[in-house]
Amino acid sequence: MEHFESWKDLLNPEFYIKLGGFWLILFIIFAETGLFVGFFLPGDSLLFISGIYAVQIIDTTFGSTGSDFLDTTILATAVAIAAIIGNEIGYWFGYKSGPLLYERKDTFLFKKKYLFKAHDFFEDHGTVAVILARFLPIVRTFAPIVAGIVKMDKKKFFFYNIVGAISWSFTMIFAGHYLDKLFMDQFGIDLKKKLELIVLVIVLVTTLPIIIKFFFTKDKERPTQE
């Protein structure tokens, strides 16, 4: 069991994996969209590094199947289910009470500007935004809420939600698992010893589009409220 030592631990995916393993991973993925307060949690890097530890995670939780592929598939499937449920709750929340969010004051866990940016992203990319948003931090937290606010067809949202969740979870987890094996077999490099660098690279790659979108593009004019 890992112990909290500094605030840096909250941005370290390995900390969560060793702290709570399988179930904490699922909760974090669910919280990123289902509770719409998890945008600061490590999403992509958590899945990638979970893939590296996939066999150990499944073995500790249920007992290994004896197959790397099956163990990794079990983990990716469970993550996809958690992601689907989270998005559905986010959609329901947006559908029922979304308009009130535009009047809500900013807090540490809620920033109205993120909601506006997600709305713009949704308008620019249409329904496929539900899939694309999975691979973009912050946007994936608010995209299902926006989908609910704009009253996207429930069946259509559910379909894109499933496609996006499976694509995201399987891509990130299998990439982590098999790249770790590739680097070890071909180059003798243990990615478990390079986790800080891996997290840094993933964060840069996934957040760069968000940084450009949020800070270097002109905001759309919005009607002022009297």
Side-chain angles (χ1 to χ4, degrees), residues 32-33 43-45 47 83 87 121 128-141 143-144 160-175 202-210:
E32 268 206 300
T33 50
D44 300 301
S45 55
L47 294 193
N87 255 22
F121 182 83
V128 75
V130 178
I131 298 176
L132 296 177
R134 283 291 186 188
F135 296 86
L136 298 173
I138 300 178
V139 173
R140 66 170 160 260
T141 300
Y160 283 107
N161 181 18
I162 292 175
V163 174
I166 292 176
S167 300
W168 181 52
S169 62
F170 275 74
T171 297
M172 299 305 299
I173 289 176
F174 271 82
I202 292 176
V203 168
L204 288 176
V205 170
T206 57
T207 58
L208 185 58
I210 303 301

Side-chain angles (χ1 to χ4, degrees), residues 15-194:
F15 169 73
Y16 295 103
I17 293 171
K18 292 186 177 180
L19 174 67
F22 180 82
W23 300 111
L24 184 56
I25 292 170
L26 298 190
F27 176 76
I28 290 174
I29 297 305
F30 165 79
E32 268 206 300
T33 50
L35 304 181
F36 71 91
V37 296
F39 59 86
F40 60 89
L41 294 171
D44 300 301
S45 55
L46 176 63
L47 294 193
F48 186 90
I49 293 174
S50 294
I52 295 178
Y53 286 101
V55 174
Q56 294 94 315
I57 292 171
I58 296 302
D59 184 38
T60 300
T61 309
F62 307 107
S64 177
T65 64
S67 166
D68 282 14
F69 177 79
L70 287 179
D71 287 346
T72 307
T73 299
I74 291 172
L75 178 60
T77 300
V79 167
I81 292 173
I84 291 169
I85 295 173
N87 255 22
E88 287 297 319
I89 291 178
Y91 174 88
W92 175 86
F93 184 85
Y95 195 92
K96 294 295 184 180
S97 58
L100 297 177
L101 291 176
Y102 288 106
E103 301 176 5
R104 181 176 177 175
K105 293 182 179 180
D106 285 352
T107 65
F108 174 73
L109 295 176
F110 175 82
K111 302 295 182 184
K112 194 184 299 183
K113 66 178 182 180
Y114 296 153
L115 188 63
F116 283 129
K117 294 294 184 179
H119 188 279
D120 293 344
F121 182 83
F122 197 90
E123 283 190 341
D124 292 341
H125 299 282
T127 53
V128 75
V130 178
I131 298 176
L132 296 177
R134 283 291 186 188
F135 296 86
L136 298 173
I138 300 178
V139 173
R140 66 170 160 260
T141 300
F142 292 93
I145 299 174
V146 171
I149 292 173
V150 301
K151 300 294 190 290
M152 179 179 176
D153 181 76
K154 294 180 181 179
K155 292 181 180 179
K156 184 178 293 185
F157 175 81
F158 185 60
F159 172 76
Y160 283 107
N161 181 18
I162 292 175
V163 174
I166 292 176
S167 300
W168 181 52
S169 62
F170 275 74
T171 297
M172 299 305 299
I173 289 176
F174 271 82
H177 183 74
Y178 285 103
L179 281 177
D180 179 50
K181 292 176 67 67
L182 175 66
F183 273 78
M184 178 61 74
D185 294 342
Q186 298 296 322
F187 309 107
I189 298 176
D190 185 358
L191 293 187
K192 295 183 182 68
K193 298 179 180 179
K194 309 287 184 180

